[in-house]
Amino acid sequence: MGEIWDRVTAVQPPPSTSVLALTAAVAAALVLVPGLWPVARHAVTVAHEAGHAVVAALTGRRLTGIRLHADTSGLTLSRGRPRGPGMALMLLAGYPGPAVLGLGAAALVAAGRSVLLLWVLVAALALMLLLVRNLFGLWVVLAGGVGAWAVSWYATPDVQTAVACTLAWFWLLAAPRTVLELAVSRRRAGARTSDADQLATVTHVPAVVWVAVLLVVTVAAALAGTAILLPDVVAQVSGGPPNG
């Protein structure tokens, strides 16, 4: 336990600009390359459903299970009032989930806490494992947890930092893409069962407004995460003095 605590609380030097640039390029490839995105998107679905689950628990709803499917869709099941603030907040939490996770990851990476980020992911996925109700979902969550643990325990500090940086960039970049996919799917498909459409039913605010809100939130999170990871670059672009 002492060794685990030492690893979790270890502080590493913040990543260099070259490492940040390289990991950003890797994350962008995972989000933009057609052959990679369908696989990488499972990590977004996990964060999406975790967002639903966390807010459902915080608002007093009873969680009954999470399902993750091979087509990268997911479903979080809960019991409670079918309308009202709790239901609306739970529905609203899904798409910003990866963005919030990316922001938190960026803050930990910038503070030299890459290993702590990996262990937080291990703990969160272990809890999520208790809620998953289908075999494919169990495999996805278990594979993610084992991967994060293996990197935190066996990889060198440089590799740990690189992996943490890639995860932060990936969630920050992936969150807006999923909202854009939502907008496209709503335009093409006849069915209206998305989070935005369910929010429209609960709140009587048009779904297109909720899609716009989700896009603004995720893009703002991506910009804020970039400012956390690359403060000097952002300062130069904005015309301000570099930090430090």
Side-chain angles (χ1 to χ4, degrees), residues 80-182:
R81 294 180 57 190
R83 294 180 181 272
M87 185 66 178
L89 288 172
M90 187 199 74
L91 291 170
L92 186 60
Y95 282 94
V100 172
L101 184 57
L103 268 179
L108 289 175
V109 167
R113 300 285 186 174
S114 297
V115 177
L116 176 58
L117 169 61
L118 295 171
W119 278 93
V120 167
L121 291 177
V122 171
L125 290 170
L127 290 174
M128 195 171 182
L129 198 63
L130 301 176
L131 294 169
V132 175
R133 296 293 183 263
N134 66 323
L135 287 177
F136 184 82
L138 287 172
W139 182 87
V140 170
V141 174
L142 186 61
V146 170
W149 172 80
V151 173
S152 69
W153 195 259
Y154 293 110
T156 64
D158 288 342
V159 172
Q160 291 168 344
T161 299
V163 170
C165 287
T166 303
L167 289 173
W169 284 123
F170 172 74
W171 282 312
L172 290 171
L173 297 174
R177 168 159 185 173
T178 59
V179 179
L180 293 174
E181 288 179 342
L182 169 63

Side-chain angles (χ1 to χ4, degrees), residues 18-71:
S18 60
V19 169
L20 288 167
L22 179 60
T23 53
V26 172
L30 292 172
V31 173
L32 298 175
V33 175
L36 299 177
W37 175 241
V39 178
R41 200 184 191 284
H42 288 292
V44 185
T45 303
V46 170
H48 180 113
E49 300 306 327
H52 284 312
V54 169
V55 173
L58 290 176
T59 55
R61 299 183 65 83
R62 181 184 174 188
L63 285 169
T64 58
I66 295 172
R67 292 180 176 272
L68 305 171
H69 303 130
D71 63 356

